[in-house]
């Protein structure tokens, strides 16, 4: 319907307008737009999308609609606005209290509907409708993190924040800029969330229930135009995605793009608790993503301490990512059954299990990124960066789980875990593998040390070398694939999760793990060139670099990492 209305606006061909009206006539007599999974609600995400579509169509076809058609469409939108206001005034449905994407989708969608027929609404009804739209927008914008991140992930950011911006933009235009919510501090920062969490091929860091792809071009175009951020305009140029008419309306061709390589290589979104470490901003540069956060966040997975490694369009260490919404109520029953789905549980994330048990959901179950740093290359040291994640509160069976992620540019990643359990436990160190793993046959890596390689047959190869603990006590290692089949809202769903799991054979109360990884190009297997030494209350990481042997040191109990040229 909107697509046809847009086509008429661009071409003037009445066939498009007639087709849009045919669809609208059916839509206006449709008895119920509520998704069956959302009933007995009387308004939901789907109904908001439909009403906003009618409002947009009315705007686009303003020069085509005759008096009778305009009156019918206006009466429908007035009735829907009245229903929205009555529910919002009474707070009679749970979404009126929500602090996630539902709030802006409904308040924003129905706010746009009210604006589209504002001349036909009684003043009091219009004020109440806009009040709820503005309050809903502020609730969500105030709930965003201080760096512009969003706790539901990138795709829900595009959806929830995108719907808020649609309403804010409409309000700005009809008020001739007198009502300007674009000045909210969150909107001055939030484009960074898309920039830093989008990989060079357009995929995103898709933790939680998010998918790998988003269509945020129109949203980023509007944010770039209001903030005059050239790096956000670079996003618009680099990731055009699916074109929309909003992109044409919102894109400001006078705003010059600023290349990404002017941006920092490390970004921590505080509150959301996600960090990205990059070896560079080139298409083939290595990227590491690190995740913590709050288990009470909407659409969250039990994934604290997990990480991903991505390079040149290939996910070498991955995340369970999006699993189809299941039928029934189990999938969103956070307190009981949601984490029976393995892709949402700790089992399908690149973190740890203790005696087969993962993290738990609850108000006290949260993880935090407690330190990050970025150090450019010098004459005596390669460039490097780190992130430290404390997930001690995420596991009821553990006293402590602190993970140190060290990126040594251009091609090394080192993972150090400091773990202490209440009772002796077998710690399972796990990584999600989009590609199969193979055991190294020997050279060029030391055959005495457990080493694995993963990656496509032709393309980047990631060598993983287990450094600590290793000795007579032994290890258990296995590659497994978990398959889940269940009924989803879109039909039967099948999801698979391939894992490499490595565990010290003997259960201990204290376990300290070190794994070194190195990227090879065109399938090349490269020894990480890393060893570790235990010292008093610390661990030394000794690396053979192009500048010679260099040392990094972790002091147990401290969030940072130190580097030494000699």
């Amino acid at each position: 319907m909107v697509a046809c209305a847009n086509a008429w606006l661009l071409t003037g061909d009445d066939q498009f307008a007639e087709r849009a009206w045919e669809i609208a006539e059916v839509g206006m007599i449709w008895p119920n737009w509520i998704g069956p999974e959302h009933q007995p609600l009387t308004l939901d995400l789907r109904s908001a999308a439909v009403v906003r579509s009618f409002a947009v169509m009315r705007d686009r076809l303003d020069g085509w609609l005759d008096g009778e058609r305009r009156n019918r469409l206006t009466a429908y939108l007035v009735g829907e606005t009245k229903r929205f206001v009555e529910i919002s005034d009474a707070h009679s449905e749970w979404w009126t209290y929500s602090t996630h994407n539902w709030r802006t989708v409904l308040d924003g969608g129905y706010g746009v509907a009210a604006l589209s027929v504002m001349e036909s609404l009684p003043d009091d009804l219009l004020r109440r409708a806009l009040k709820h739209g503005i309050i809903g927008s502020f609730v969500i914008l105030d709930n965003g993190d201080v760096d512009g991140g969003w706790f539901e992930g990138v795709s829900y950011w595009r959806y929830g924040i995108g719907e808020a911006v649609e309403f804010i933009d409409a309000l700005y235009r009809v008020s001739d800029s007198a009502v300007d919510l674009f000045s909210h501090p969150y909107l001055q920062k939030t484009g960074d969330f898309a920039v830093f969490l989008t990989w060079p091929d357009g995929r995103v860091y898709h933790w939680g229930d998010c998918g790998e792809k988003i269509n945020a071009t129109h949203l980023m175009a509007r944010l770039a135009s209001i903030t005059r951020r050239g790096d956000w305009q670079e996003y618009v140029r680099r990731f055009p995605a699916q074109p929309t008419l909003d992109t044409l309306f919102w894109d400001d061709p006078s705003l010059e793009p600023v290349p990404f390589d002017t941006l920092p290589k490390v970004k921590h979104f505080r509150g959301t608790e996600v960090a990205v470490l990059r070896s560079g901003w080139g298409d083939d540069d290595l990227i590491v993503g690190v995740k913590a956060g709050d288990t009470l966040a909407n659409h969250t997975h039990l994934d604290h301490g997990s990480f991903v490694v991505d390079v040149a369009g290939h996910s070498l260490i991955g995340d369970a990512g999006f699993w189809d919404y299941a039928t029934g109520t189990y999938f969103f029953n956070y307190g009981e059954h949601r984490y029976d789905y393995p892709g949402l549980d700790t089992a399908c994330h690149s973190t740890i299990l203790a005696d087969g048990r993962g993290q738990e959901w609850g108000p006290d179950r949260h993880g935090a990124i407690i330190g990050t740093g970025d150090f450019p290359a010098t004459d005596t040291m390669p460039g490097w960066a780190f992130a430290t994640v404390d997930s001690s509160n995420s596991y009821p069976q553990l006293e402590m789980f602190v993970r140190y992620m060290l990126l040594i540019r251009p091609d090394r990643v080192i993972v150090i875990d400091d773990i202490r359990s209440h009772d002796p436990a077998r710690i399972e160190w796990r990584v999600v593998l989009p590609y199969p793993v193979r055991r190294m046959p020997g050279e060029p890596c030391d055959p005495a040390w457990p080493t694995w390689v993963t990656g496509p047959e032709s393309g980047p190869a990631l060598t993983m070398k287990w450094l600590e603990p290793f000795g007579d006590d032994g290890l258990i290692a296995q590659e497994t694939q978990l398959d889940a089949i269940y009924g989803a809202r879109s039909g039967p769903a099948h999801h698979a999760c391939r894992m490499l799991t490595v565990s010290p054979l003997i259960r201990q109360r204290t376990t300290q793990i070190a794994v070194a990884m190195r990227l090879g190009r065109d399938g090349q297997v490269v020894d990480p060139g890393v060893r570790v030494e235990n010292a008093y209350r610390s661990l030394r990481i000794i690396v053979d670099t192009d500048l010679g042997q260099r040392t990094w040191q972790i002091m147990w109990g401290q969030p940072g990492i130190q580097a030494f040229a000699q």
Side-chain angles (χ1 to χ4, degrees), residues 491-509:
H494 174 210
H495 291 279
C497 183
R498 182 191 294 115
M499 305 289 304
L500 171 66
T501 303
V502 186
S503 309
L505 192 150
I506 304 300
R507 289 175 169 83
Q508 303 284 351
R509 281 201 64 213

Side-chain angles (χ1 to χ4, degrees), residues 131 271 303 362 408 443 480 551:
K131 177 192 77 172
D303 58 0
I408 302 176
E443 295 298 333
T480 59
T551 300

Side-chain angles (χ1 to χ4, degrees), residues 406-419:
L406 173 61
L407 168 65
I408 302 176
R409 300 183 177 104
D411 56 7
R412 289 181 175 94
V413 179
I414 301 166
V415 185
I416 307 293
D417 292 339
D418 189 13
I419 305 160

Side-chain angles (χ1 to χ4, degrees), residues 423-441:
D423 299 301
R426 175 172 293 141
I427 302 301
E428 298 178 24
W429 189 91
R430 301 166 70 83
V431 286
V432 177
L433 296 174
Y435 297 99
V437 68
R438 65 181 186 271
R439 181 70 192 276
M440 273 298 299

Side-chain angles (χ1 to χ4, degrees), residues 213-258:
K213 291 282 189 177
I214 63 171
N215 184 22
T217 307
H218 66 293
L219 171 58
M220 289 295 288
R222 189 64 179 116
L223 293 173
S225 70
I226 63 172
T227 60
R228 313 310 294 170
R229 286 280 299 268
D231 52 332
W232 296 1
Q233 185 77 339
E234 173 73 5
Y235 180 99
V236 175
R237 296 291 177 263
R238 186 173 291 202
F239 305 114
Q242 179 182 344
T244 69
L245 201 60
D246 290 324
T247 307
L248 296 179
F249 288 154
W250 288 351
D251 189 5
D252 182 355
S254 71
L255 179 59
E256 287 294 326
V258 174

